[in-house]
Amino acid sequence: MHLSKKILHITPHLGGGVGSVVLNWIEKDVFQNIHTIISLDKNKNNDWIRVNEKCERVTIYDDCYIRSDFTSFFENCIEQNDVVVVHWWNHPLLYTVMLNYKWPECRVIAWNHVNSLMPPYSMPEKLIDFVDALVFTSPVSYECNEVKKWDDGKKEKLDAIWSTIGVESFENLERMPHDDFIVGYTGTVDFGKLNKNYIKMCADVNLPDVKFVVCSGDSQEHLVEEAKQLGVFERFSFEGRVPSVIPYLARYDVFGYPLQPQHFATCEQSLGEAMMAGCVPVVLNNPTEKYIVKHNETGIIVNTLSEYSRAIEYLYYNRDELKRLSENAKKYAKYQYDIKRTMQNWNSKFEQALTMNKRYRSWDSENKLLSPSMLYIESLGEYAHPLKQYLYAVSKDDREEAVKGIKKLFNTNSMFYSNNKGSVLLYLQFFPEDTILQEWANILKDG
């Protein structure tokens, strides 16, 4: 018999995929643990309200960082719970509470919701010292360069628990008959995630009756405009945000999911749902996707943009192979995206944590308050050198050299140019008074 445990979750917010995963987990928790959630930022959707009102075992506090009593509230919540789970990615409010606030004695587990393979979602070494356990959402994070350098003692704190909301709703989905050969995409269409050559790759598919369907809550105007410019707009159906993806997945023959090579994602719930629905995935040879799709077993992994187009043609002309891969994809997704398995693994992790003594937390030995710009430097870990060089430049030449280094860093990943996703612009939204962040944002705009 498992005894209920009191779990405190600290998260930047409950939006997007992370919010769906966390809310589904605590709502369905078969181990009857008591969950409290501190959402630092204001949530823009109302899913959390339904869970908060429906579940007696769940208490959710929204937009906590602006509370006038936040300091005492934060400390009291930590003291009253058995284990603290930090839902971790590069967010300014999360770094603020981890580095600039006092943490009473506690047990801390960080669940890393990004792959951390490259900045701005990198892996600072100080994080592993701060926590009792660091749990990846996918084994892909073991490939992180920083992680590989850690000693065995630090690596003993590591684990991986697959992040999922479950795929039960897509099991035994009745396939809907249709005339076209449909290649579908559901998810983010921002080029921080989607490959910027998406429309061109689709246009290069040489089939008589192919149809590309895009479902996304993001603005799709950039895709619409490019499809028109290339003269292939009639091949596409841009659906925008849809009430349910189920009727769409019931018609997709192929799930075309070509992401940009430096995306930050891990478990890709939309990919798991598509596979459970029997859609055959075609993906690029990115680190994350290789932990989800098994080439020629549950889908097709391609190495080049032209191979992506040819793979879709291959599946069109080889329907027996399409059927085989579809059946294998369903079996795989049923196991890998099973939320019961995720809950079991987390309950075991909590029981393991309870064998540890509570202790105080400190990001480093100095324990001094850090400015928002210094928080950003800490978030980038070993990649922050040009930003430090900028801060401590003593001559014009030093400053100019630092600016070159900052531009080079920013150009390593399109996420640096996003208004969120761990960018300087995100930090500036929360801390507009920080003059150094403003200067770095200007460097970003200058390109």
Side-chain angles (χ1 to χ4, degrees):
M1 178 178 180
H2 296 276
L3 297 177
S4 295
K5 292 162 283 292
K6 297 173 69 176
I7 311 300
L8 173 65
H9 302 260
I10 300 175
T11 180
H13 56 73
L14 288 167
V18 174
S20 298
V21 167
V22 175
L23 292 173
N24 271 270
W25 166 21
I26 64 176
E27 182 179 10
K28 298 176 181 177
D29 189 357
V30 296
F31 298 97
Q32 299 297 300
N33 294 314
I34 312 299
H35 297 272
T36 302
I37 298 181
I38 293 178
S39 180
L40 298 172
D41 197 9
K42 185 173 182 60
N43 290 294
K44 297 180 175 63
N45 55 51
N46 294 328
D47 295 341
W48 70 272
I49 297 176
R50 177 187 59 80
V51 176
N52 192 43
E53 292 176 347
K54 176 183 176 182
C55 301
E56 293 182 358
R57 297 174 293 98
V58 176
T59 303
I60 302 176
Y61 297 99
D62 185 42
D63 204 12
C64 292
Y65 187 72
I66 66 169
R67 291 176 62 127
S68 59
D69 65 340
F70 178 71
T71 299
S72 58
F73 166 78
F74 178 72
E75 293 180 8
N76 289 337
C77 284
I78 291 177
E79 289 173 342
Q80 292 167 9
N81 284 273
D82 298 316
V83 182
V84 179
V85 178
V86 175
H87 296 278
W88 186 84
W89 65 92
N90 190 353
H91 192 283
L93 295 187
L94 189 59
Y95 268 96
T96 299
V97 300
M98 290 180 69
L99 277 64
N100 284 347
Y101 280 79
K102 177 184 176 182
W103 288 57
E105 288 183 308
C106 55
R107 307 176 184 94
V108 179
I109 303 174
W111 199 13
N112 180 16
H113 291 278
V114 292
N115 59 38
S116 296
L117 297 179
M118 70 282 299
Y121 286 131
S122 45
M123 177 63 69
E125 186 172 2
K126 291 178 183 178
L127 176 66
I128 193 65
D129 297 323
F130 186 87
V131 301
D132 297 302
L134 173 58
V135 179
F136 301 139
T137 43
S138 164
V140 68
S141 295
Y142 284 104
E143 296 185 19
C144 177
N145 288 330
E146 297 95 313
V147 172
K148 291 178 180 178
K149 299 174 185 176
W150 292 348
D151 60 41
D152 291 343
K154 296 182 192 294
K155 289 180 179 178
E156 286 179 359
K157 293 184 178 183
L158 302 177
D159 199 355
I161 299 178
W162 199 258
S163 172
T164 179
I165 64 173
V167 289
E168 313 90 69
S169 336
F170 303 89
E171 188 173 6
N172 300 319
L173 186 65
E174 182 180 353
R175 304 292 300 170
M176 300 298 292
H178 52 276
D179 295 328
D180 294 328
F181 188 74
I182 300 179
V183 180
Y185 178 94
T186 61
T188 301
V189 294
D190 182 291
F191 287 147
K193 181 77 173 288
L194 179 64
N195 194 289
K196 65 181 181 180
N197 296 292
Y198 174 70
I199 296 294
K200 293 177 183 177
M201 294 157 67
C202 294
D204 192 40
V205 175
N206 185 19
L207 292 175
D209 53 359
V210 68
K211 188 74 173 181
F212 298 96
V213 178
V214 180
C215 299
S216 176
D218 301 334
S219 171
Q220 302 176 24
E221 287 305 311
H222 58 299
L223 300 182
V224 171
E225 185 61 31
E226 186 177 359
K228 290 178 178 178
Q229 289 177 358
L230 293 178
V232 292
F233 178 73
E234 71 284 352
R235 281 186 163 199
F236 286 86
S237 178
F238 296 102
E239 298 293 331
R241 185 182 297 277
V242 297
S244 170
V245 297
I246 290 178
Y248 293 90
L249 293 180
R251 298 174 64 241
Y252 292 173
D253 297 292
V254 170
F255 193 67
Y257 203 63
L259 305 183
Q260 68 107 340
Q262 293 173 310
H263 71 82
F264 60 86
T266 57
C267 299
E268 290 304 297
Q269 179 71 25
S270 59
L271 189 50
E273 291 171 353
M275 294 171 76
M276 191 68 205
C279 313
V280 176
V282 177
V283 300
L284 295 175
N285 190 21
N286 298 328
T288 289
E289 289 89 313
K290 290 188 292 185
Y291 283 89
I292 303 173
V293 178
K294 307 301 178 186
H295 182 57
N296 281 338
E297 293 181 25
T298 62
I300 296 180
I301 300 176
V302 300
N303 296 306
T304 66
L305 304 185
S306 62
E307 282 184 15
Y308 175 84
S309 307
R310 303 292 80 79
I312 293 172
E313 295 169 3
Y314 171 79
L315 293 171
Y316 175 87
Y317 289 112
N318 294 271
R319 300 303 175 98
D320 288 344
E321 185 69 355
L322 181 74
K323 183 178 180 181
R324 180 184 73 84
L325 293 173
S326 172
E327 292 301 317
N328 288 347
K330 287 190 281 188
K331 292 175 185 176
Y332 169 83
K334 183 176 182 179
Y335 170 78
Q336 186 71 345
Y337 289 85
D338 182 4
I339 193 171
K340 292 180 181 177
R341 191 164 65 95
T342 295
M343 287 189 290
Q344 173 66 65
N345 289 337
W346 265 112
N347 200 64
S348 298
K349 182 60 64 177
F350 293 148
E351 292 180 348
Q352 179 185 0
L354 290 179
T355 65
M356 306 175 185
N357 294 325
K358 290 186 175 184
R359 64 181 177 90
Y360 290 107
R361 306 287 146 174
S362 176
W363 188 258
D364 58 32
S365 58
E366 295 186 14
N367 282 326
K368 62 182 180 180
L369 291 179
L370 298 180
S371 67
S373 51
M374 286 303 299
L375 291 175
Y376 193 63
I377 283 176
E378 289 291 330
S379 79
L380 296 180
E382 64 180 43
Y383 297 97
H385 173 71
L387 301 177
K388 293 179 181 178
Q389 186 181 13
Y390 182 91
L391 278 185
Y392 303 123
V394 294
S395 68
K396 183 179 178 181
D397 288 344
D398 289 345
R399 178 63 65 92
E400 289 177 352
E401 188 66 25
V403 169
K404 290 179 183 178
I406 292 173
K407 288 182 177 181
K408 184 177 180 181
L409 172 66
F410 288 164
N411 287 328
T412 61
N413 198 325
S414 61
M415 289 191 292
F416 277 111
Y417 289 86
S418 170
N419 287 324
N420 43 57
K421 298 181 173 60
S423 70
V424 166
L425 299 179
L426 176 64
Y427 276 67
L428 198 55
Q429 286 177 43
F430 288 92
F431 303 109
E433 73 288 349
D434 189 293
T435 57
I436 300 299
L437 287 178
Q438 293 169 8
E439 291 173 15
W440 291 342
N442 289 333
I443 293 172
L444 183 74
K445 292 172 184 176
D446 290 342

